[in-house]
Structures are given as C-alpha cells and as structure tokens.
C-alpha cells in the first residue's frame, strides 16, 4: 500500500475511464461564513479522479471505505478520517463500500464556476 503513482498514470487512467459509463456521484455544495464545503457521495465500486488542486485545505471521509492514490501517497481510508490536501494533489479514489468525502475550502466565493477556477487547475477533459 505504500506505492505511489505518477501524475502521468493518473491522467492515463482518467482518459480511459472517461470513455466508460460514469458513476452516479452526488455532489452537494455547502456555504458558511468564509467557508465552502464540497460533499461527494460515491457509490460502491466507483472510481473517481479528482482535479489537480491549487490550494492547501482539509478534507474528511465521513462514511465508508476507499482506497486513495496520488503522487504523495497511497492509502486505504476508513471513515471517520480527517486529512489535508496540498497544492499539486490529484487523486484517484476507489470507493470500496460507497463513501462520503467532504473538502473544506476557506473562501468567500459562492459561484461554483469561480470556486473551481480558484481551487482546481484547468484541464481539457
């Protein structure tokens, strides 16, 4: 489980799975004073490739089990779990049991397109 992946291999996987049927991932957006929380509910057996993050921020897995790979680490996460994202992180998440993942971002922005532009490096997918 200590093996890490390369950024190129994550992009290669992303190219492959974008051609496959897409998982029914539910995304919810939550706002509070100076805080944005992005909640993702991933079904069992789904694979999600996240964006390339620009910011340092906290995340939590509040339910389920998943295996997560990035250039920084590879780990199995069992909820409850609290972690930190650093700039340059792009993850592959395999949702083993179905899981709920929430990222917390300090910002006063409330427009989703503006938020994504501020938090995620642009990609042509």
């Amino acid at each position: 489980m200590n093996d890490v992946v390369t950024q190129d291999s994550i992009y290669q996987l992303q190219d492959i799975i974008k051609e496959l049927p897409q998982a029914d991932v539910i995304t919810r957006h939550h706002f509070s004073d100076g805080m944005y929380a992005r909640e993702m509910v991933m079904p069992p057996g789904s694979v999600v490739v996240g964006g390339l993050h620009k910011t340092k921020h906290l995340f939590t897995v509040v339910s389920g089990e998943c295996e997560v790979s990035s250039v920084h680490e590879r780990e199995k996460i069992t909820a409850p779990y609290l972690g930190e994202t650093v700039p340059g992180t792009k993850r592959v998440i395999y949702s083993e049991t179905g899981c709920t993942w929430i990222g917390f971002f300090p910002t006063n922005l409330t427009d989703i397109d503006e938020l994504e532009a501020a938090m995620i490096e642009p990609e042509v997918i």
Side-chain angles (χ1 to χ4, degrees):
M1 291 289 282
N2 292 336
D3 298 332
V4 295
V5 297
T6 66
Q7 209 76 305
D8 285 343
S9 66
I10 292 173
Y11 281 105
Q12 289 170 357
L13 176 63
Q14 179 174 288
D15 287 342
I16 291 167
I17 65 173
K18 73 180 179 185
E19 302 300 325
L20 300 173
Q22 299 299 294
D24 187 20
V25 175
I26 298 167
T27 303
R28 296 183 185 108
H29 307 278
H30 308 276
F31 300 92
S32 188
D33 292 339
M35 182 65 59
Y36 164 60
R38 179 183 173 109
E39 176 185 9
M40 289 190 313
V41 180
M42 296 170 271
S46 60
V47 176
V48 174
V49 178
L52 182 62
H53 290 277
K54 294 180 179 179
T55 65
K56 187 175 191 178
H57 58 274
L58 296 175
F59 71 90
T60 185
V61 178
V62 297
S63 68
E65 295 179 7
C66 56
E67 188 167 328
V68 181
S69 296
S70 74
V71 296
H72 304 293
E73 61 191 344
R74 181 176 173 193
E75 63 184 322
K76 182 171 180 144
I77 294 176
T78 301
Y81 179 88
L82 178 65
E84 182 179 51
T85 298
V86 295
T89 300
K90 183 175 182 70
R91 294 186 180 93
V92 176
I93 304 168
Y94 170 64
S95 174
E96 293 180 12
T97 62
C99 65
T100 301
W101 181 295
I102 305 172
F104 299 92
F105 306 87
T107 183
N108 288 311
L109 297 173
T110 57
D111 179 270
I112 302 303
D113 291 335
E114 289 179 13
L115 282 163
E116 288 190 1
M119 299 179 316
I120 303 294
E121 291 292 344
E123 293 182 26
V124 177
I125 297 179

